Amino acid sequence: MDQIKNLSLLSAMCENVNSAITVTNPATGHVLGYVPSHSRETIENVIAKAEIAQRSWAKTTAKQRADILMSWYQLLMDNQEDLARIMTLEQGKPLAESRGEVAYGASFVQWFAEEAKRAYGETIPTPSSDRRIMTITQPVGVAAAITPWNFPIAMITRKAAPAIAAGCSFIAKPAAQTPLSAYAVTELARQAGLPEGLLNIVTSDDAVMVGELFCSSDKINKISFTGSTNVGRILMRQSAESVKRVSMELGGNAPFIVFDDADIDLAVKGAIASKFRNAGQTCVCANRFYVHDAVYDKFVEKFAAEVATLTVGNGIDNGVNVGPLIDANAKNKVQRLVEEAVAQGATISIGGEDLDGQFFTPTVLTHVQHSMSIVQEEIFGPIAPVIRFHDDASLIEMANDTIYGLASYFYSKDINRIFAVAEALDYGMVGVNEGVISTEVAPFGGVKQSGIGREGARQGLDEYLNTKYICLGGM
Ligand code: NAP
């Protein structure tokens, strides 16, 4: 932590270790510091203050909100290096990736500063001449979010920026492993001039209590969650009682398909970026590779050769491409899936080594069958199982054979096939000849059990707005 120059970014860290969450570095196991573990009563007070702050905020103009968001964006970029270091220290991803996430996270703040001014209503042609019909949009009120550890900044800003732009107040509970990044970006929002009570972080070692409180509170009008499908189901059930609006960004099981007409070098480049970013711990990571029989051997040979060049290590060190897994449970899961796959007949083409600490070598598995658990489950680690396929019809069936529907990828040069496959894949997002597709200008989200709602793009603002219909009669 002594590498951080702007100490205001660490102002939420506390000394009182008795009622605190311990933040550790997953690369070294060293304790980085402590943040408060808030009581139920404290969080209820935060919600009450957020409700009051929201009433005044809703009366500001879109331009006033946009100006503050733009200042926040600028401060995020001015502090990119410090924010990236905090992220790498608590989350483990390589520093270059953390810098990228700060820029990606900040891009949502910039985007929604611009979109705030475009929360348009409509005038609708009337069916009766004595009436005029229009709609206006209004903020939903207080929005609450629960976020994961794998994108500690972007998962906050992708929700907070549209909420603030729409005129809502916002409360987030970040993952217990990565609270420092969440507090740091919130401090910068305060410095940008965002009034008190509008953007709040609560931290707790009792996530279940926070989830129940958010979902049951009648002061909170909207829940936005990013995390596992299991927890998403719990939050949806809990939100049913008060009929809250929900957005759910949940798990994925992305297929990465290489057709026989693909540019193999491009496919290998996309496969490396999609699979090994964040040590394979992203919801849009390629989870399973389907490669056509005619190019299978060529693809595997080139892919394994590229994987061999990846350097595993502490993300703060120069030249590291793959950092640690987030915790011991994550590593145990990866080990189990590899062992099961090998026992079921898969072959380790490269990797498969269990390194000290929370590190695992980037691994390519061949002779993989679609039915294996490593294909059916979300791996969340640096393992690439490669399956051989023979025809497009059975391929599409296998690709869609999952409860998930977040991201999918395929490589082909045939324009007819490109449209046919893009339309047939049952996913919220499709990358064609591209392995990294997230951007603030495009709608991010899933279908099936990968979630409900979209983040980013113009659709991201709608998640925090209600549409009100106004009928003017007696004209
Ligand atoms: P997780 O276990 O669902 O945790 C996510 C958040 O939920 C954390 O803040 C956690 O708090 C909290 N939480 C856990 N149990 C809870 C409960 N019963 N009630 C309320 N909150 C609860 O997920 P994860 O392992 O951290 O993250 C990985 C998952 O997130 C993967 O499935 C991945 O695909 C998904 N993800 C999806 C997207 C997307 O946009 N679709 C993006 C990123 C990640 P604590 O940390 O305090 O336990």
Side-chain angles (χ1 to χ4, degrees):
M1 281 297 161
D2 46 6
Q3 303 161 14
I4 308 305
K5 296 201 179 81
N6 181 354
L7 292 180
S8 74
L9 298 179
L10 301 175
S11 53
M13 285 171 76
C14 63
E15 300 293 328
N16 180 4
V17 296
N18 294 327
S19 59
I21 296 170
T22 307
V23 188
T24 54
N25 181 337
T28 62
H30 293 152
V31 172
L32 295 168
Y34 306 89
V35 296
S37 181
H38 292 127
S39 66
R40 185 182 182 94
E41 196 187 6
T42 303
I43 299 173
E44 280 170 346
N45 280 335
V46 170
I47 298 170
K49 285 185 180 154
E51 189 191 29
I52 294 166
Q54 194 271 329
R55 286 193 210 123
S56 326
W57 188 241
K59 294 190 182 119
T60 57
T61 65
K63 181 161 187 336
Q64 287 168 323
R65 299 195 291 274
D67 286 346
I68 291 180
L69 283 168
M70 270 305 179
S71 305
W72 185 22
Y73 163 74
Q74 201 50 57
L75 283 174
L76 289 167
M77 291 311 294
D78 291 348
N79 286 274
Q80 185 178 20
E81 191 59 27
D82 272 352
L83 290 169
R85 283 181 184 274
I86 292 171
M87 192 188 305
T88 290
L89 289 170
E90 70 174 350
Q91 200 276 344
K93 66 177 70 177
L95 199 49
E97 282 188 35
S98 293
R99 291 186 188 113
E101 184 184 333
V102 176
Y104 175 63
S107 74
F108 290 100
V109 180
Q110 184 186 42
W111 171 263
F112 286 109
E114 293 155 350
E115 284 299 289
K117 295 176 249 173
R118 292 188 265 278
Y120 301 130
E122 286 181 308
T123 54
I124 300 168
T126 174
S128 41
S129 56
D130 63 341
R131 293 180 180 196
R132 297 294 179 271
I133 293 174
M134 67 180 79
T135 65
I136 58 169
T137 59
Q138 292 181 305
V140 296
V142 181
I146 297 180
T147 58
W149 46 264
N150 60 349
F151 287 95
I153 286 183
M155 294 305 103
I156 302 270
T157 55
R158 202 161 78 172
K159 300 174 190 301
I164 299 291
C168 299
S169 58
F170 185 81
I171 307 165
K173 188 211 85 67
Q177 283 117 329
T178 56
L180 299 178
S181 298
Y183 276 117
V185 293
T186 306
E187 167 59 21
L188 291 176
R190 193 191 64 75
Q191 291 177 18
L194 194 68
E196 204 184 328
L198 285 174
L199 178 54
N200 311 275
I201 297 295
V202 296
T203 38
S204 169
D205 57 11
D206 187 351
V208 175
M209 176 274 287
V210 181
E212 282 171 358
L213 180 53
F214 280 178
C215 295
S216 63
S217 170
D218 56 12
K219 292 184 166 61
I220 290 176
N221 310 89
K222 158 97 192 185
I223 298 283
S224 178
F225 173 68
T226 296
S228 60
T229 294
N230 266 344
V231 174
R233 288 189 194 107
I234 293 171
L235 296 174
M236 282 182 76
R237 270 199 293 274
Q238 290 176 173
S239 296
E241 197 58 40
S242 57
V243 195
K244 277 199 205 331
R245 277 184 72 173
V246 294
S247 296
M248 295 280 149
E249 298 283 353
L250 308 177
N253 182 358
F256 187 107
I257 302 158
V258 183
F259 286 101
D260 49 355
D261 64 332
D263 177 332
I264 300 298
D265 291 331
L266 194 64
V268 167
K269 188 167 169 253
I272 295 282
S274 174
K275 177 71 249 183
F276 297 105
R277 198 162 57 104
N278 205 2
Q281 304 172 109
T282 88
C283 53
V284 291
C285 265
N287 201 56
R288 48 201 170 114
F289 293 77
Y290 295 91
V291 182
H292 192 274
D293 184 41
V295 291
Y296 187 92
D297 293 338
K298 191 173 166 195
F299 175 82
V300 168
E301 188 191 329
K302 290 191 170 202
F303 188 33
E306 275 304 310
V307 170
T309 67
L310 297 174
T311 303
V312 181
N314 186 337
I316 213 81
D317 296 336
N318 280 338
V320 166
N321 311 108
V322 179
L325 294 167
I326 190 70
D327 57 25
N329 284 341
K331 184 167 166 184
N332 291 342
K333 181 181 182 189
V334 166
Q335 272 167 327
R336 170 181 66 80
L337 286 172
V338 172
E339 279 164 19
E340 282 176 12
V342 170
Q344 290 160 3
T347 306
I348 296 174
S349 168
I350 187 161
E353 261 175 86
D354 171 8
L355 304 171
D356 286 345
Q358 285 162 207
F359 296 94
F360 201 91
T361 43
T363 300
V364 177
L365 296 175
T366 53
H367 300 98
V368 177
Q369 302 300 322
H370 172 74
S371 57
M372 290 180 183
S373 45
I374 199 152
V375 175
Q376 301 295 323
E377 290 182 37
E378 190 180 24
I379 304 170
F380 244 56
I383 317 298
V386 193
I387 302 143
R388 196 184 285 268
F389 79 90
H390 299 273
D391 65 275
D392 289 21
S394 65
L395 176 268
I396 294 293
E397 214 169 287
M398 287 191 286
N400 287 340
D401 177 28
T402 169
I403 60 166
Y404 298 108
L406 193 59
S408 55
Y409 309 89
F410 72 90
Y411 282 71
S412 169
K413 286 189 231 152
D414 176 339
I415 191 70
N416 292 331
R417 180 183 259 161
I418 285 174
F419 274 97
V421 174
E423 287 165 14
L425 286 171
D426 221 351
Y427 289 80
M429 296 174 281
V430 184
V432 184
N433 298 323
E434 182 55 65
V436 179
I437 56 175
S438 301
T439 156
E440 77 279 12
V441 307
F444 186 105
V447 298
K448 294 161 75 177
Q449 294 188 33
S450 286
I452 298 171
R454 292 293 178 268
E455 292 188 335
R458 70 179 164 74
Q459 290 87 346
L461 192 65
D462 295 340
E463 302 283 332
Y464 296 91
L465 291 169
N466 286 327
T467 297
K468 183 180 280 179
Y469 152 48
I470 300 173
C471 177
L472 292 174
M475 304 287 285

